[in-house]
Amino acid sequence: MILLQRQGPHTAGPARARGRRRLLMALLGFGAGLVACGQEPAEPLAPLAGGNLVVTVSPIDGGRIASLRFYGRELLTQADARTEGNWGSTLWVSPQAAWDWPPPKAFDAQPFSYEQSANQLRLQGQVDAQTGIKLHKQITLLGGDRLQLAYGLENPGKAPVQAAGWEVTRVPQAGLVVFATQAPVWLSHGELAYEQFGDLVWLDARKPVGRGKLNANGRGWLAWVQGRDLWIKRFDDLAEAQQAPGEAELQVFVGNRGYLELEAQGAYQTIAPGARAAFTTEWQLVRLPADVEVGVDSPSLQTLLQSLGLKL
């Protein structure tokens, strides 16, 4: 069943060009620990490597994940003239209506301080004057080609703020996207062709699918297959009431710059002064067995997803 929907115009506004920023810091602080640095922060840092995964983070660019390699192949969209700053994997706060467009520089562009060990990287951003929020990130290799991303939304101000964590990951406009939903999906703008069989929604980006943003109250996961590689994002399965106003637990964005956005959001909540809200995702990479067929409504692919603990 092919579904094609039309909504209003794209609300994100024009793409912004953003040069990469460099900042000389003599001392980089993080929480109770300090990282001494007599030169520019590494751009990017030494990678975290384990199993078949190599993860590289750029603290200068909003502490975003700049590279994710699986069996040596890059999975994330890289920075170039076409993407205009929309590359890698980053963290925003939701709803977008709180800051419109572009994203606050404190979240997406300004340098993050950091503390690194063999299998973990902790980063801390700057306070955003518009939302009053300061972002924290903890990226940990879990083994088994899995990665945990523990985010914190800190409110250092004197009044409560409301927000949800929002992980935005850009991948090439290719492959097959699949997720399960417990409610009707909806488009916040644009037109997208997708197929739905039962509770599973499939977007086949191996062919033209249009442009737009697909939203769903999912079941705590979102998957993307590129070639023979399967990338699963796991996150909290939210009730409808927990989603940020006008937003959704999971979102898939297709634009005109050659990338897809695989997005997950945490619970929308009130953050008291001095408190911090948590939002955690887990990434798992899997090389597909030879007998798994990659295609819309593939029974063998569904069986594999179930074997990995995903609720279909």
Side-chain angles (χ1 to χ4, degrees):
M1 175 173 60
I2 302 291
L3 303 179
L4 185 66
Q5 299 189 18
R6 180 183 298 273
Q7 298 288 335
H10 197 309
T11 58
R16 76 282 189 214
R18 181 177 67 231
R20 295 166 73 81
R21 294 164 173 78
R22 297 181 177 274
L23 180 66
L24 183 64
M25 296 183 185
L27 195 63
L28 296 177
F30 183 92
L34 294 175
V35 177
C37 182
Q39 55 187 0
E40 294 177 343
E43 186 190 355
L45 294 176
L48 301 174
N52 303 297
L53 282 181
V54 180
V55 183
T56 309
V57 175
S58 177
I60 276 182
D61 296 294
R64 76 179 69 195
I65 297 179
S67 172
L68 178 68
R69 290 186 172 272
F70 185 53
Y71 283 98
R73 186 175 75 158
E74 181 61 61
L75 298 181
L76 291 175
T77 300
Q78 299 298 289
D80 59 26
R82 189 180 185 194
T83 58
E84 293 189 348
N86 300 294
W87 57 276
S89 185
T90 189
L91 179 70
W92 298 339
V93 302
S94 180
Q96 184 174 333
W99 44 265
D100 193 27
W101 191 264
K105 292 182 179 180
F107 300 159
D108 211 46
Q110 292 177 347
F112 275 49
S113 59
Y114 64 91
E115 184 178 75
Q116 186 173 16
S117 64
N119 70 334
Q120 186 179 89
L121 178 63
R122 300 167 65 198
L123 301 111
Q124 177 176 278
Q126 303 176 44
V127 179
D128 169 51
Q130 188 173 6
T131 62
I133 292 174
K134 179 179 184 176
L135 296 181
H136 299 260
K137 304 178 183 182
Q138 180 175 287
I139 302 168
T140 307
L141 289 173
L142 299 177
D145 296 327
R146 294 178 301 130
L147 187 69
Q148 183 190 71
L149 298 105
Y151 302 118
L153 281 62
E154 180 186 353
N155 175 14
K158 297 182 179 180
V161 297
Q162 290 184 299
W166 185 0
E167 183 183 79
V168 180
T169 302
R170 286 97 176 198
V171 298
Q173 191 168 319
L176 182 67
V177 179
V178 58
F179 59 86
T181 182
Q182 51 190 324
V185 297
W186 54 282
L187 281 157
S188 48
H189 59 269
E191 297 178 343
L192 280 178
Y194 59 90
E195 298 180 71
Q196 183 167 357
F197 296 91
D199 293 341
L200 287 181
V201 178
W202 308 78
L203 189 147
D204 192 350
R206 298 172 298 181
K207 58 186 180 182
V209 293
R211 302 173 187 171
K213 190 165 193 175
L214 189 61
N215 302 264
N217 181 8
R219 288 186 172 154
W221 63 272
L222 172 64
W224 179 61
V225 185
Q226 168 67 322
R228 302 303 298 174
D229 295 332
L230 167 66
W231 181 352
I232 299 168
K233 281 191 175 197
R234 290 181 172 89
F235 37 86
D236 285 342
D237 185 3
L238 303 182
E240 184 176 357
Q242 293 177 285
Q243 298 172 130
E247 302 286 350
E249 176 186 314
L250 69 85
Q251 300 168 314
V252 180
F253 171 76
V254 184
N256 63 351
R257 297 182 179 274
Y259 62 85
L260 305 172
E261 288 184 349
L262 308 176
E263 307 176 13
Q265 296 197 13
Y268 182 66
Q269 56 193 291
T270 299
I271 310 172
R276 190 187 301 188
F279 169 48
T280 300
T281 67
E282 182 182 311
W283 299 356
Q284 181 179 9
L285 280 297
V286 177
R287 177 59 55 90
L288 294 179
D291 61 349
V292 172
E293 178 185 359
V294 178
V296 172
D297 203 32
S298 163
S300 56
L301 181 54
Q302 292 179 55
T303 297
L304 176 64
L305 294 174
Q306 286 182 310
S307 73
L308 293 170
L310 301 181
K311 184 178 179 182
L312 304 191

